[in-house]
Each structure stands twice: as C-alpha cells, then as structure tokens.
Amino acid sequence: METVTTAVEARAIVKKWKNEGKTVGFVPTMGYLHEGHMSLVQKAAEQNEKVVLSIFVNPMQFSPNEDLDKYPRDFDADSKLCEDNGVDLIIYPDPKEMYPEGFCSFVDMTGPTRELCGKSRPIHFRGVCTVVTKLFNIVQPDRAYFGQKDAQQLSVIRRMVTDLNMPIEIVGCPIVREKDGLAKSSRNQYLSEEERKAALILSKSVFVGQELVKKGERNAKVVCDAIREIITSEPLAKIDYVEAVDFDTIEKIDKLQGTILVAIAVYIGSTRLIDNFIDTV
Ligand code: AMP
C-alpha cells in the first residue's frame, strides 16, 4: 500500500494501473475509519483490481458553526485499517493542496440538495460536490463507493455524475451498524456514555418506521409521526428533521410509492446524528 499527499503523485500511480488495463475502485472518506468505511473498501476490492481511498476532512462542506476543528483524526490507525483491508493507495492531501490560493471554482446543485441536510446545512452539498468532483478528476476511477448512511449524499452524487457526464459508476452500500443498532459514524465518538445510550433512539425509531412501511403503511405522515413520537420520548434528543422523500429526487412525498427514503437528523446533546431507511414500495 502506498500513501500520497498530492494530486500529481496520485495521478501517476493510477495512470500506471490504467495502462496495465486494471480497473480502479475509489472510496472517498473523511477518515477516522470504521467498519462502515471498510464495507465500502471490501465492495471496491470485490469489483475492481485496485482500490484507492482518500482521507480528507473537507473544510468546504462545514459551516463556521460546525465541527471542522474537532472532527476526529487518526491517520496511523486509518492507515493500518486500510492496509489490512486491501487498499492499494491512500490519498491524504492537505487543505492547501486541494484549495490552493486563488481557488474559486465550485460545483453547485439545486434539486436533491434542497431538502433534508441541505436545509440545515446550507453550504454542505456545494462543498461535497466540489471535493468529490476534484477527487474524481484526480483519481478517474471506474467505480466510486458511497454509503447509504449518507443517503442524500448518495442520491446527490448519482445525480451529479449523470448531469455532468462523469464516466464513473456510483455504487451504494448498505448501512453498517453497531450490534445494538446505532449506525456507525466517526461522530459517535463525541457521545458521552449517557448520550451513547440515548443515541439508540435514532435506529430504534427508524426500525419502527421501516416496519410500518413493510406492513403496508403508505401514508408518509403516519410513518414520520410514529418516528417523531419515539424520538421525542428521549429527553436528550432534539429533532432536526424527520422526512419522507423520493430517493431519486429528494422531494418530499405524502404518499409512499416508488423508491422512498425516510431520513432523520437528530441532535443528541450537541452531536448531530443521521439515520434512514430506503424501501421500494
Ligand atoms: P465519511 O468519512 O463520514 O465522510 O464517510 C465516507 C463514506 O463512508 C461515505 O460514503 C459514508 O456514507 C460511508 N459510511 C460512513 N459510515 C457508514 C456506515 N455506518 N455504513 C456504511 N457506510 C458508511
């Protein structure tokens, strides 16, 4: 496994692989890696001859009031996990490498970035789309891997790749959870012991909503209200949103039909966590 910090070095390595006819799978991350990230790596390794993973805490997708500075980082542990899971190349750039002085080009989307996290984090998806486009241009992978954990992001990236004719297959991977149900997240480490227990209310409510849909409920309000009621029962939890949307457009829906995404964002203390389920009904 190699680690590089610049686009030029990364390009040279990938170019050599491409010249040898090898396929390349790419996993963009912000590091502090866990089994959720590794499930993407494993999928990439199954489907491609080479696997590239980037670690970059992207300042552009954080608002000034968010957790950029305290976002957890541990390059040595990340590097070891990558090595053990078959990553061939880590790209670990500095913000100055990604955004040199004078940087002024952005990838901005309307449509699926408007609702859900786009509402509470207004500049978030502009940052995500810009950095993912840059990383795609650097790596030029055959396939790129995104977790359903960030379901809106997955939908947004799919749309972006289609709209901008990027020749990359986007592969979505299921949510990896802790044994008790909490979706794995680098941000879980912000939680105190008491908050960690309270955070279970996210998955608990999502599972109840999912079960309602499975049993035939098609009224989005009924499903979202049931989820809200459960979350409200937890004193440490504060709802940011609970919404049902069409997974492809991320537009709000009243009637559940087609491929639907029911997504929640909840503050546990000062930590904002997300969870969701997708179903085709
Ligand atoms: P992050 O480092 O949080 O930006 O995540 C990098 C990628 O890993 C994104 O595509 C996430 O959706 C994915 N990911 C993070 N946590 C999980 C999880 N628990 N299960 C599946 N994928 C995940």
Side-chain angles (χ1 to χ4, degrees):
M1 187 182 77
E2 286 183 79
T3 298
V4 298
T5 57
T6 66
V8 171
E9 291 167 292
R11 271 259 174 84
I13 292 171
V14 176
K15 194 171 172 203
K16 185 172 152 283
W17 292 337
K18 288 274 170 105
N19 286 341
E20 293 165 358
K22 296 197 164 119
T23 54
V24 177
F26 176 47
V27 181
T29 82
M30 299 208 297
Y32 213 72
L33 303 176
H34 50 66
E35 287 94 331
H37 299 109
M38 287 309 114
S39 73
L40 311 191
V41 167
Q42 279 148 19
K43 192 80 190 162
E46 267 167 47
Q47 298 185 333
N48 304 274
E49 283 148 295
K50 294 288 179 185
V51 178
V52 180
L53 179 141
S54 63
I55 298 175
F56 182 59
V57 184
N58 176 32
M60 201 192 281
Q61 69 192 62
F62 289 78
S63 295
N65 62 334
E66 293 183 343
D67 57 342
L68 173 64
D69 290 337
K70 71 166 184 170
Y71 197 84
R73 294 158 166 93
D74 187 346
F75 179 75
D76 291 342
D78 287 352
S79 177
K80 180 156 187 338
L81 255 188
C82 286
E83 179 107 59
D84 292 347
N85 283 273
V87 171
D88 297 287
L89 173 65
I90 297 180
I91 305 179
Y92 182 48
D94 194 85
K96 284 199 205 81
E97 167 71 16
M98 294 299 276
Y99 305 117
E101 205 165 313
F103 186 93
C104 59
S105 305
F106 302 91
V107 179
D108 212 350
M109 282 175 70
T110 56
T113 64
R114 286 199 185 116
E115 297 291 338
L116 309 181
C117 291
K119 266 205 175 127
S120 23
R121 308 183 71 191
I123 61 155
H124 177 68
F125 285 111
R126 178 167 115 138
V128 169
C129 291
T130 301
V131 81
V132 169
T133 298
K134 281 175 67 69
L135 290 165
F136 281 180
N137 284 335
I138 293 167
V139 179
Q140 302 186 6
D142 298 282
R143 301 182 187 86
Y145 296 79
F146 290 85
Q148 188 201 307
K149 160 83 187 345
D150 300 273
Q152 185 177 15
Q153 172 174 275
L154 171 59
S155 181
V156 163
I157 299 294
R158 283 220 168 110
R159 184 78 234 176
M160 178 184 84
V161 162
T162 302
D163 286 356
L164 301 183
N165 305 88
M166 298 179 178
I168 300 169
E169 183 190 340
I170 302 302
V171 181
C173 301
I175 301 177
V176 176
R177 298 180 178 279
E178 302 287 355
K179 278 203 189 76
D180 61 6
L182 180 67
K184 284 186 187 269
S185 165
S186 310
R187 289 190 167 97
N188 289 348
Q189 71 102 35
Y190 295 148
L191 303 170
S192 68
E193 207 176 306
E194 195 193 1
E195 288 170 341
R196 171 66 182 77
K197 279 187 201 138
L200 269 187
I201 208 69
L202 279 95
S203 53
K204 206 172 143 192
S205 69
V206 161
F207 295 157
V208 168
Q210 192 165 21
E211 201 50 39
L212 278 174
V213 175
K214 229 180 236 141
K215 285 197 176 129
E217 183 57 64
R218 295 293 176 263
N219 184 332
K221 187 172 180 307
V222 171
V223 174
C224 291
D225 282 350
I227 292 175
R228 275 191 204 103
E229 194 181 321
I230 294 170
I231 300 171
T232 313
S233 73
E234 169 50 62
L236 292 183
K238 190 172 152 276
I239 293 174
D240 179 2
Y241 65 73
V242 174
E243 301 285 0
V245 298
D246 179 279
F247 180 52
D248 294 325
T249 61
I250 313 290
E251 276 169 13
K252 282 190 199 169
I253 46 176
D254 297 326
K255 189 171 181 304
L256 303 178
Q257 58 182 7
T259 302
I260 57 133
L261 163 67
V262 176
I264 69 173
V266 176
Y267 284 94
I268 300 293
S270 59
T271 302
R272 185 175 173 282
L273 300 175
I274 55 175
D275 204 339
N276 68 79
F277 69 91
I278 294 174
D279 205 342
T280 302
V281 294

